Amino acid sequence: MDEQAGDPGAVRGPEPDTGELIVGRDAELARLFRAVDAVSAGVVDAVSAAGSGPAVDSVSATGSVPAVDSVSAEPVLVLVGDMGTGKSTLLGSAALRAEARGARVLRADGSESESGLAFSALHQLLRPVRAEVDGLPERQRTAIHDAFGVGPATAAPDLMLIGVAVLSLLSALGDEGPVLVVLDDAQWCDRASLDALAFAARRLRGERVTLLIGARVGDPLPGFDRHVPALVLGPLDDASAGRLLDRRPVPPSGRTRTQILDQAGGNPLALAELARSAAAHGASATPPTADPPSTRLSSTRPPSAELSSAGPPTTGPLPLTDRLERIFAARLDDLPASTTRALLLLAAMDGVDSVIAVPAGLPHADDDAWLPAERAGLVRRTGRDVRFRHPLVRSAVYHAASFDARRAAHLALAEILRDEPDRRAWHLAAASSRPDAAVSAELERTAGRARRRGGYAAAAKALQRAAELAPRREESARLLVEAAATAVFTGDIGWVEELAAAARARTDDASLLASAAVQTGRLAALTVRHTVVFSRLADAAGQLAVSRPADALDLLAAAAVVRYYSGEERQRHRVQALLRRLPDDASDAWLRTWVRAVSDPFDGRAELVSLLPRLAAEAERRPDRLITLAIMAWLLDETPYAVRAVDEAVGRWDLRGPLPEGLGGAVAWAYVEQGRWDQAREFCARTTAVGSTAGLDHAVACAASADATVLAFRGDTSAARSRAADALALIDPLESRSVSVRARRALGAAAASEGAHETAYHQLRMVFTADGAPVHYHASYPALADLAAAAVRSGHREEAAVIVERGARALADNASPRLRALISRARGLLADAGDAEPHFRAALADPVLEHWPFERAQTLLDLAEWLRRRRRVAEARPPLTEALEFFRRLGARPWTERARAESRAAGLDVTDSAPDALTGLSPQQRQIIGLAARGLTNREIGERLFLSPRTVGSHLYRSFPKLGITARSQLRDLIEGPLPTGCHRE
């Protein structure tokens, strides 16, 4: 971080006028104070306060638990209002109150000029805590330093790790005392900073940290626009507006007072500035005439004729902000030239520029050049700082100057900042009025640096501006396509489509157009617009099938992903027709296999499976393809292959990209199927965190459905239903059949675990159409056995039998060993009492089925129950013992209880074992206990689960009494033991 950031002579941006009286905002101020006071008054217990230090990582819990922290009911609050409604003043008052009560205040102010610089707002926020940043664990510290450009940038920045680092830092600061984070003018903060802060903000509950955000109405903030409480500042009422005018040194009266009240419309800034203007020019002056509708501040220095100095401008068609800018601009007329030059240079720079610019020519804060501007109400000198009194002052100063003057200011700053290439590039761009290849190239290099640090929004902005300055249309189109490809990682589908459309308008190059289509489709596949997106991708693929088959195949690969999510049968036919039109080039084998496996994994399954070894050999040379290989293997029910590929990807490549991959949810499902449920939930947590920040509802829904399934298997039925409901609420079931089916399966499992078999059957029946066909060609079939189990317990045996046999016929020889086993189990459940055994035995015959431990354990239990009811008790005991051990190790509590009851009935001596104590914990506590038992520290657990170390420590402290243990060292003996075949431990 910039060691000069605290330069006492720095000239800074707008500052909240906390010294002015606040009128008419009592309720708003009280709510802000409640948020501040709650966190300031919190009493932290010893264990929670210790974070990840020795006290927690070697905690010895007694039977009692200290009181839970008193923390803010609103750890995050967004203050929303129009320009001039007093957001900054209110936030400043809250900050002063927090400081008076002993809180540490971290503050950052958004700046238009810095919005294109990755992590600039976060850098500003964390400058005062550089030492604490350096004290973070190495991976987190490196991530922050990379983001700020301090250390060598990583090849693949982990944006999630940056978010975890911010959370860990704020939590650690909170352990030392209450913390207030204030982010003002957030609509101008760079996207990378907002993403990191949004990630942390969603995890602040329970921490001694409050985040207050100020933003303008109508400017959505990524990550803060959902489920975040907002406090809206409306206009002042007439009485409050009158009181505010009465507090002026010279209160306006008569016709002038009426005119000010009418024009201000309850806006506090307008009331103050119109009153100031009236007092400066004489209250009895004749008001000027209204401006014509098209009038706006000109790009030249405003002559006195453009804005009458006789008094405040009358009401008219100009927006309030424009009228206020005119008032501020009018005050420039009588300023000395040296003051005007200083103001323009200040307006053209950003906060970091000022640190360098002050010693290089900008007047120091105590220079007499600032005095006229201060008297005119344009700036305020506080100590050795100079700040604009309001962002509108900066805007007025900047736009009132001629283009030549602005250009000269930017060129001067570019020269001063010659050792700061990113800031220099943007100043050169601001000075350019026509295409300039050199400046365009500078911006492209800036984009590259931002991208390497994970600042995708900043990089895309730089590329977009570089495209505007590129002299050649083809070069401009190339840069726009690259900008679209980079903007994909922001999750902003509207922006990606805008960039792609701009590229299409500049070129007819088929390759560039295809690339633009692929980039748009890549992101759109993670939204819920599958019908529209599929049509666009398929149409583009069809147009390029003859002229550019390789590009067409790229488009078709993206279309296949959309086909999977939607499950629409007509899309399968179109994918297959397009694939047949493309030449069968050996170099395209990877993508052709992908398209076939994704769009229909059962058509020619044996051939597709036979290709996996060759594809795996290719992935050895191209580890970036390992996740793709894993997805294909999972689709083909080669789950062991899939999990090995994922594990290798984590070790050799990078699974933690900035956005979820297309069909990336397959990773979670592969873990679910192989019994690695904690890892499945970790992956779901990551996908949810990233998808929520980027607004990718479909990715979030995919993760929610997988998470719901694990929760249901473990007997956390309330949580499972909540997560399944989240998934269903985010999608249209006809647009996203894959998610809908899996959410229904989770709801069915939750009902079955409670013994509500009629409800379970109803939910699982929805996985198939009225005539028994699968709703989704891949996701429905694994539900056949569970459907049969619910049917025999709820009186729907005949209907279920029809559905099972229809599925068996449809799959025929293309069924995987796993699906054949599930169909055999279903047939055993539905068969007449004397005919079930061969089906159960068939379901258990193939040793490979041990890789699906939960499904195997269910079949073992079904067989054992059938045997015991046939009075073959001795034969029932071995499968019962094996099933019980599987269920215990997986933490499948309802099935464990069922197997235990059946074991007792079979005469087995079954005693409760220690792991059953975990059933008294929440799902998150069980995850934390499991990771702690494997030796992970609180910080390492926090990185895995995206929690602060303090939250992890608090969960551990509260879990120990429930587990009947007193030391962390006892966890391993409690949790671990020999795993049965098929269960995997890291």
Side-chain angles (χ1 to χ4, degrees), residues 53 544 560 636 721 745 780-781 786 828 979:
L544 296 172
L636 296 167
R721 282 191 286 267
R745 284 171 53 190
S780 291
Y781 286 123
D786 290 334
L979 286 176

Side-chain angles (χ1 to χ4, degrees), residues 244-267:
L244 186 60
L245 289 181
D246 290 339
R247 301 292 183 103
R248 301 301 304 171
V250 182
S253 59
R255 187 163 64 94
T256 299
R257 182 185 182 92
T258 302
Q259 186 181 17
I260 291 172
L261 289 169
D262 183 46
Q263 290 183 35
N267 183 288

